[in-house]
Amino acid sequence: MILGADLVDAATAERYGWINRALPAAELDDFVERLARNIAALPDGVIAAAKKAIPATDLRQGFVREHNAWAGLFERPAAEKLIRGGLRAGAQTKDGERALEDLMRGLAV
């Protein structure tokens, strides 16, 4: 579910709190293509870190792996570029937080 997985029916997604948008069938292909492009454009190491964050059977170990994968991203040059660029673009403001995904994706290009 972190980078892409099987489809989940709407009732299950609602129970899990995963739904953040609903798309008409006619818009699905464009959305999936955009998602694939965004994943492909991630800085080196992000996909591997996300895979490492997938929970283990013992959730305590999974939380440690998630923390280590996340923390390890800050050592990468791309992190400094995104953080500094985000601050320059106003990511720390109310308006910046409301549009954070678009703001950060614009910096990653």
Side-chain angles (χ1 to χ4, degrees):
M1 300 311 299
I2 294 171
L3 294 175
D6 292 336
L7 295 177
V8 175
D9 65 276
T12 302
E14 180 185 20
R15 276 197 323 270
Y16 292 168
W18 291 348
I19 294 176
N20 65 2
R21 74 193 80 185
L23 300 171
E27 296 176 23
L28 186 58
D29 287 344
D30 288 342
F31 175 81
V32 170
E33 287 177 18
R34 183 175 61 81
L35 176 62
R37 282 193 307 273
N38 289 343
I39 291 171
L42 290 171
D44 186 34
V46 172
I47 294 171
K51 288 178 181 180
K52 287 180 184 176
I54 295 172
T57 304
D58 178 351
L59 291 179
R60 289 172 295 181
Q61 290 176 353
F63 290 141
V64 170
R65 286 194 350 232
E66 180 180 5
H67 169 77
N68 291 340
W70 173 250
L73 292 174
F74 287 94
E75 298 171 1
R76 299 184 173 277
E80 180 180 0
K81 175 185 171 193
L82 287 173
I83 292 167
R84 289 185 188 279
L87 291 173
R88 279 193 301 272
Q92 74 282 15
T93 66
K94 286 183 183 180
D95 289 339
E97 287 182 12
R98 288 186 187 108
L100 189 59
E101 184 177 342
D102 288 336
L103 185 148
M104 297 308 285
R105 286 197 189 283
L107 294 172
V109 179

